[in-house]
Amino acid sequence: MQHAIAILDSGVGGLTVAKEVMRQLPREKVVYFGDTARTPYGPRPAEQVIQFTRQIVDYLLQYKPKMIVIACNTATAVALEDIRSRVSVPVVGVIHPGARAAIKTTRSGRVGVIGTEGTIRSGAYETALREISPQLQVVSMACPSFVPIVEQGRYEDDIAREEVKHVLRPFREEHLDCLILGCTHYPYLTGAIREAMGPSVALISSADETAREISTILYHNGQLAQSNQEPVHQFFCSGDPHLFRSIAQSWLKEEIQVTPVVWRVPTIS
Ligand code: I24
Ligand code: DGL
């Protein structure tokens, strides 16, 4: 019986983490849950995001995962501690790995963070950064228009690029040397964000670092998968499985099977 790494997200964004886990840890089996029926989480109240995250974790626990990865920044920001207190396996979020990457990168100590409303409102990045390095100057900004730009496939059009530059304009005067892309979708906007911020600001995305952290924890716990057989990953989503499958396959560049999940209990949408 092989125990999987369970990865959850509000939708398809967490596939960035899943892909990086599959690349860095090719022996590991991944069970992914995308809550595509209720995406986006960014604008939702914290209490609701906690409730949704608990529900997904309860669903994933039936697969007896050896670890739970919250691949959504918004869910990590508001629900990580709650989930940790409820389950006995390690729970990894995307915020601490991203914060550590920024600490490794910054020279001036002036770090910027952009994310959804929920992530920024929570102050979770600032807390994670200053917990390790209290002298850091952290400047944060919610960018609620960025997720719709990516989801509508407009990340390369000129109007969207102008919007990104316009939103980030106030950040140019902050003299940052490092900007955390604190949302699964923002790496798609790297070109426009780099144009807005200039070449002296390093852009940090957390998928790679999160996979590295997963690898470290499994190694320390003596829990790395040992099988030489190719793992068969499993994907679940709460919305349209065909749409999820087409996005996931084009992102992962491999064939996958998707199982639709219908919640047994009525849910708030
Ligand atoms: N890419 C596509 N469609 C989206 C998306 C995306 N959201 C993020 N990314 N959303 O198409 C469409 C609407 N949602 C509603 C809820 O169900 C899922 C669909 C890309 C074309 C591929 C056929 C981009 C993206 C990604 C993977 C990881 C991270 C990320 F595809 F931001
Ligand atoms: N996955 C979310 C995050 O990283 C972005 C999409 C959403 O708002 O649900 O914050």
Side-chain angles (χ1 to χ4, degrees):
M1 168 73 189
Q2 201 202 343
H3 294 278
I5 298 172
I7 303 178
L8 65 97
D9 178 51
S10 57
V12 294
L15 290 168
T16 52
V17 175
K19 186 179 186 176
E20 198 52 30
V21 168
M22 288 154 66
R23 194 182 72 79
Q24 292 188 28
L25 295 163
R27 290 178 195 251
E28 301 293 335
K29 175 187 164 108
V30 168
V31 175
Y32 182 95
F33 193 111
D35 195 3
T36 52
R38 299 185 294 196
T39 197
Y41 283 6
R44 295 180 183 275
E47 273 313 312
Q48 199 178 53
V49 174
I50 292 169
Q51 190 195 325
F52 291 176
T53 308
R54 282 181 186 166
Q55 190 180 23
I56 297 166
V57 168
D58 283 344
Y59 184 87
L60 288 167
L61 285 175
Q62 65 182 307
Y63 295 93
K64 307 219 174 307
K66 57 185 171 186
M67 179 184 281
I68 290 168
V69 179
I70 304 179
C72 172
N73 290 264
T74 308
T76 300
V78 301
L80 180 69
E81 292 311 320
D82 177 87
I83 301 301
R84 274 197 180 142
S85 72
R86 286 164 170 263
V87 306
S88 57
V89 293
V91 184
V92 171
V94 284
I95 289 181
H96 290 83
R100 271 196 289 279
I103 289 166
K104 183 169 98 177
T105 302
T106 186
R107 290 290 170 266
S108 69
R110 293 191 57 79
V111 175
V113 182
I114 53 176
T116 66
E117 292 151 292
T119 297
I120 299 306
R121 203 192 311 121
S122 75
Y125 270 102
E126 192 157 347
T127 303
L129 287 160
R130 293 170 60 88
E131 182 175 73
I132 297 173
S133 195
Q135 77 286 5
L136 287 181
Q137 302 293 309
V138 184
V139 191
S140 304
M141 181 161 59
C143 303
S145 60
F146 289 9
V147 165
I149 288 173
V150 175
E151 296 235 328
Q152 292 158 18
R154 296 195 295 119
Y155 45 88
E156 265 167 354
D157 84 28
D158 289 342
I159 294 165
R161 297 176 76 89
E162 285 310 314
E163 161 72 8
V164 170
K165 286 199 265 184
H166 174 74
V167 166
L168 294 177
R169 182 139 310 140
F171 253 29
R172 280 198 78 112
E173 281 99 68
E174 294 285 353
H175 306 289
L176 309 169
D177 71 350
C178 167
L179 177 65
I180 298 176
L181 309 182
C183 172
T184 49
H185 289 43
Y186 296 178
Y188 270 80
L189 299 169
T190 296
I193 295 170
R194 187 170 289 138
E195 258 184 68
M197 300 302 297
S200 61
V201 179
L203 306 183
I204 310 284
S205 56
S206 50
D208 305 12
E209 299 294 332
T210 302
R212 235 178 72 96
E213 169 143 312
I214 292 165
S215 178
T216 305
I217 293 169
L218 293 179
Y219 172 76
H220 272 292
N221 293 347
Q223 284 186 310
L224 286 168
Q226 286 170 9
S227 171
N228 286 320
Q229 302 215 354
E230 280 244 330
V232 180
H233 308 300
Q234 280 179 284
F235 293 83
F236 300 91
C237 73
S238 53
D240 178 355
H242 301 101
L243 181 58
F244 180 92
R245 184 164 179 263
S246 92
I247 296 172
Q249 288 192 156
S250 89
W251 178 248
L252 300 171
K253 303 212 165 52
E254 66 180 70
E255 285 264 317
I256 61 160
Q257 296 307 317
V258 179
T259 307
V261 173
V262 181
W263 298 122
R264 280 175 293 106
V265 289
T267 56
I268 310 160
S269 60

